[in-house]
Amino acid sequence: YLATGAGTGTKMNIPGEDSPGVLDALSFLRQANGGEKVAIGQRVAVIGGGNSAMDAARVALRLGAKEVSIVYRRSRAEMPAAAEEIEETEHEGIKLITLAAPTRVLTENGRITGIQNIKMELGAPDASGRRRPVPIEGSEYIMGVDNVIMAIGQAVDRSNLPLSEARRVG
C-alpha cells in the first residue's frame, strides 16, 4: 500500500494560469511555512472557498500584500471552509468576492496585471448537494492583481509512482 496523499494543486484550465505569479495554494503555503522567501505582490487574488484558500489569503496578507481578495464561484453560505475561518479571514480585512469565477489571467510584459472574472448565479443543486454556479453571460469584469493563488482543490501527483497505468488501482 502506497499512500502519497493529494499534495498537488489543481488548475482551472483558463488562459494565462501558467503565467509567472500564479501560484498553487499548497506550494505557496509549504514554502511560506518552511521559511522560504515567497515573493508576493501588493494585490493578491486567492481563488477558492475552502480552508486552504482562507489560509493562503491570510498568509499573503502577513507576507506584505496590501489588498487580498478571495474569489469564490458560489455564495458565502456554500463555502466549504469552516465558518470561524471565514469570519477570521474577513476580520483581518480580506475581501470576499462571491458569485464570481475567473475566466482568464491577464498579463503584460510577462507580469500579471489582473484577472477577468465572470459573475455567477446559483442554479440547481449538483452532486455535492450545493447549488451549481452558472455563469451570467456578458457579466465579465477585470480585477487588477499582481498575484493569483489557486486554492481550488488537490490531486495526487502520479508522476513519481512506479506502477504503469495498467496496474494502477483507483
Side-chain angles (χ1 to χ4, degrees):
Y1 177 73
L2 179 62
T4 62
T8 301
T10 57
K11 295 187 175 202
M12 293 187 66
N13 297 316
I14 60 172
E17 74 179 345
D18 291 325
S19 302
V22 177
L23 313 167
D24 83 84
L26 295 176
S27 298
F28 170 71
L29 291 170
R30 193 172 12 255
Q31 289 173 327
N33 289 332
E36 294 180 43
K37 178 153 176 51
V38 182
I40 203 80
Q42 297 295 305
R43 302 168 302 164
V44 176
V46 178
I47 314 304
N51 290 327
S52 294
M54 304 302 139
D55 291 345
R58 294 168 80 186
V59 168
L61 194 64
R62 289 182 183 99
L63 289 175
K66 301 294 182 219
E67 181 183 314
V68 180
S69 301
I70 293 175
V71 179
Y72 184 59
R73 63 191 183 141
R74 290 183 166 105
S75 73
R76 188 181 191 279
E78 281 87 19
M79 283 185 155
E84 60 271 7
E85 287 280 335
I86 298 168
E87 290 167 14
E88 290 172 12
T89 298
E90 288 180 305
H91 181 72
E92 289 188 37
I94 294 166
K95 184 177 180 182
L96 296 182
I97 300 171
T98 58
L99 294 169
T103 56
R104 72 178 55 242
V105 176
L106 306 171
T107 61
E108 188 174 302
N109 298 323
R111 297 190 62 187
I112 295 175
T113 59
I115 55 175
Q116 177 179 297
N117 293 331
I118 189 165
K119 292 180 182 179
M120 309 292 270
E121 61 187 355
L122 295 178
D126 63 13
S128 73
R130 295 179 296 167
R131 292 177 60 195
R132 186 175 56 86
V134 178
I136 300 172
E137 193 172 322
S139 67
E140 294 86 359
Y141 65 95
I142 304 296
M143 181 177 161
V145 298
D146 305 307
N147 285 101
V148 177
I149 301 174
M150 297 286 188
I152 59 168
Q154 297 168 216
V156 174
D157 179 3
R158 294 178 182 243
S159 65
N160 294 319
L161 296 178
L163 303 175
S164 70
E165 280 297 319
R167 294 180 49 206
R168 286 196 179 131
V169 176

